Amino acid sequence: MNANAKDLDLYLEELKSIVKKRGLKYSLQREQILKVLFNAQKHLTPEEIYNEVKKENSTIGLATVYRTLSFLEREEMVSSISFGSEGKKYELNRGEHHDHMICIKCGKIIEFFDEELERLQEEIAKKNSFKLITHQMNMYGVCKECQE
Amino acid sequence: MNANAKDLDLYLEELKSIVKKRGLKYSLQREQILKVLFNAQKHLTPEEIYNEVKKENSTIGLATVYRTLSFLEREEMVSSISFGSEGKKYELNRGEHHDHMICIKCGKIIEFFDEELERLQEEIAKKNSFKLITHQMNMYGVCKECQE
DNA sequence: TTATGTGCAAACTCTTTGCATTACC
DNA sequence: GGTAATGCAAAGAGTTTGCACATAA
C-alpha cells in the first residue's frame, strides 16, 4: 500500500461518512467519480470525468456525473473554477486553499499558495466591513513553457 | 452638459475610433449597448442589456447584444466576470483595474483596488516565471448590509 | 421493503451561426 | 455600390429534469 492509495482511502471514507450523515446511499458511481478526481493532476470538465469513468463503467450516464459533482461541491469535497468562455472545471479539495495561475496559451492551471496574499485579503475585507468566506485569485498570463 | 455626459462622449469617441481603425462600421446598436453599460451602476447580463436597449429600440436582437459584447471585450472596452452557476456579467472598462467582493446573499458586486495586492501578484508571478497579463481576484462573503 | 441513485431521453438555458435584409461609409 | 451589421430563426453546447428501473440500506 503506497501513500497515494492510502490518501484515496481517506477520501472514500469521507464520502462514506457524508453519505451516511445525510441519510443517503453509497454508490459505485460516486466512488468512481471521486477516484477520477483524485487521480487527476489537473482540473477536469464533467465531460472529461464522464469519459474517464466510462473506461471502467461503460454504462454510466453524464447526468450522474453532473448530479454527483453538484453533490460533492455542496458537501465541499470538490471545487469548481471557470474562466473565459470555457465551462466549469472541477478539482478535488485537498485540504488547503490555493489560488490559480492560468496560461492563456495552453490552458494549463498552476496552483499556488501565498501566505501574504491570504493575510492581505483579510485586511481588505475588514476595511470594507465585508465578512469574507472564501476567495478566488486567478492570474492570467503565459506560463514558462509557452514563453519559449 | 454635465460631467457624466462628457464622459459618455469620450467612450463613444473611443468606440468610433476603434471601429474606424478596424475598417468596420458604426451603428446605433453599438452605441446604445455602450450607453447602457455606461449608465449601469452594476454588472449586467447580456439579457439585462438587451432588455434595457429594447426600451429605446424595440427591434434590437439578442444576437446583436452578444456580438457587440464579444466585440467590445475583444477591443478591451468591456470586461466580463462570471461566478458560481451564474452566467457572464459585463461592465464597462473605466480605465483603472479593480477587483471584486461578491456578496453571496444579495449578489451585489463591490469593486475595490489595492495597491499592495497588485504589487504582491507581480511578485508571485515573477517567482513562478509566469508572464502576468491580467488577473481577477474575487472575494466571496457577506456584505455589510446583509450581515445585519 | 422502501427510499435514493441511476440511465436515458427530453427539456431548458445560454450562446452562436446562417442567411436574407438593412444601413453605414 | 459594396461591405459590414442586424434581426430572425435555427442550431449548438452545456446542463438539468422527469420517469421507470435498479440498488443500497
Side-chain angles (χ1 to χ4, degrees):
Chain A
M1 184 190 286
N2 64 35
N4 265 356
K6 209 168 184 179
D7 283 355
L8 175 56
D9 284 347
L10 281 177
Y11 287 110
L12 296 178
E13 284 311 318
E14 189 182 342
L15 176 58
K16 272 175 200 158
S17 108
I18 287 170
V19 158
K20 187 174 233 171
K21 188 171 67 187
R22 298 269 181 262
L24 303 176
K25 289 169 185 168
Y26 195 78
S27 73
L28 177 62
Q29 290 85 340
R30 284 175 177 171
E31 180 173 319
Q32 290 174 320
I33 289 165
L34 187 59
K35 218 178 264 185
V36 166
L37 286 164
F38 176 82
N39 289 324
Q41 292 308 306
K42 57 182 196 122
H43 295 62
L44 299 174
T45 62
E47 191 80 30
E48 287 170 332
I49 294 166
Y50 170 69
N51 287 324
E52 205 55 41
V53 173
K54 210 156 196 192
K55 291 178 186 169
E56 298 224 324
N57 175 357
S58 65
T59 64
I60 194 170
L62 186 50
T64 299
V65 174
Y66 276 101
R67 282 186 284 231
T68 301
L69 288 172
S70 297
F71 168 70
L72 291 174
E73 190 168 25
R74 209 178 323 121
E75 297 297 336
E76 300 185 330
M77 282 198 73
V78 311
S79 304
S80 64
I81 178 177
S82 90
F83 65 94
S85 52
E86 295 184 31
K88 272 193 186 180
K89 292 184 174 184
Y90 292 82
E91 65 174 328
L92 185 61
N93 281 340
R94 293 187 142 93
E96 80 287 290
H97 162 82
H98 59 260
D99 292 296
H100 299 105
M101 276 181 258
I102 299 152
C103 180
I104 59 169
K105 296 250 193 222
C106 68
K108 186 167 60 193
I109 300 178
I110 304 161
E111 300 178 347
F112 72 92
F113 176 82
D114 188 282
E115 199 98 30
E116 196 180 343
L117 184 59
E118 303 299 312
R119 185 194 57 68
L120 187 53
Q121 286 170 77
E122 289 289 351
E123 200 177 287
I124 293 169
K126 192 173 283 178
K127 215 185 292 177
N128 289 272
S129 307
F130 190 76
K131 189 177 165 195
L132 186 61
I133 292 174
T134 181
H135 78 270
Q136 206 178 62
M137 161 73 108
N138 296 328
M139 292 167 48
Y140 302 94
V142 186
C143 75
K144 198 175 177 181
E145 288 70 36
C146 289
Q147 285 173 47
E148 289 158 7
Chain B
M1 185 189 288
N2 63 34
N4 265 356
K6 209 169 185 179
D7 282 356
L8 175 56
D9 283 346
L10 281 177
Y11 287 110
L12 296 178
E13 284 310 317
E14 190 182 342
L15 176 59
K16 272 175 199 160
S17 108
I18 288 171
V19 157
K20 187 174 235 173
K21 188 172 65 187
R22 298 270 181 260
L24 304 176
K25 288 168 185 170
Y26 195 79
S27 73
L28 177 63
Q29 289 86 340
R30 285 175 175 170
E31 180 173 317
Q32 288 174 322
I33 289 166
L34 187 59
K35 220 179 262 184
V36 166
L37 286 164
F38 176 82
N39 290 324
Q41 292 307 307
K42 58 185 194 117
H43 296 62
L44 299 174
T45 63
E47 192 80 30
E48 288 169 331
I49 294 166
Y50 169 70
N51 288 325
E52 203 56 40
V53 173
K54 211 156 195 190
K55 291 179 185 168
E56 298 224 322
N57 174 358
S58 64
T59 64
I60 193 170
L62 186 51
T64 299
V65 175
Y66 277 101
R67 281 187 283 231
T68 301
L69 288 172
S70 297
F71 168 71
L72 291 174
E73 189 168 25
R74 208 176 326 120
E75 297 298 335
E76 300 184 328
M77 281 199 74
V78 310
S79 302
S80 65
I81 178 176
S82 91
F83 64 96
S85 53
E86 297 184 30
K88 272 194 186 179
K89 292 184 174 185
Y90 292 82
E91 66 173 328
L92 186 60
N93 282 340
R94 292 186 143 91
E96 81 284 293
H97 162 82
H98 59 260
D99 292 298
H100 299 106
M101 276 181 258
I102 299 152
C103 179
I104 59 170
K105 296 250 191 223
C106 69
K108 185 166 61 192
I109 301 178
I110 304 161
E111 300 178 346
F112 72 92
F113 175 82
D114 187 282
E115 199 97 31
E116 197 179 343
L117 184 60
E118 304 298 313
R119 186 194 56 71
L120 187 53
Q121 285 170 80
E122 291 288 352
E123 201 176 286
I124 293 169
K126 193 173 282 179
K127 216 184 292 176
N128 288 272
S129 307
F130 190 77
K131 189 176 164 195
L132 186 61
I133 292 174
T134 182
H135 78 270
Q136 206 177 62
M137 161 74 107
N138 296 328
M139 292 168 49
Y140 301 94
V142 186
C143 73
K144 197 175 178 181
E145 289 69 37
C146 289
Q147 285 174 46
E148 287 157 9

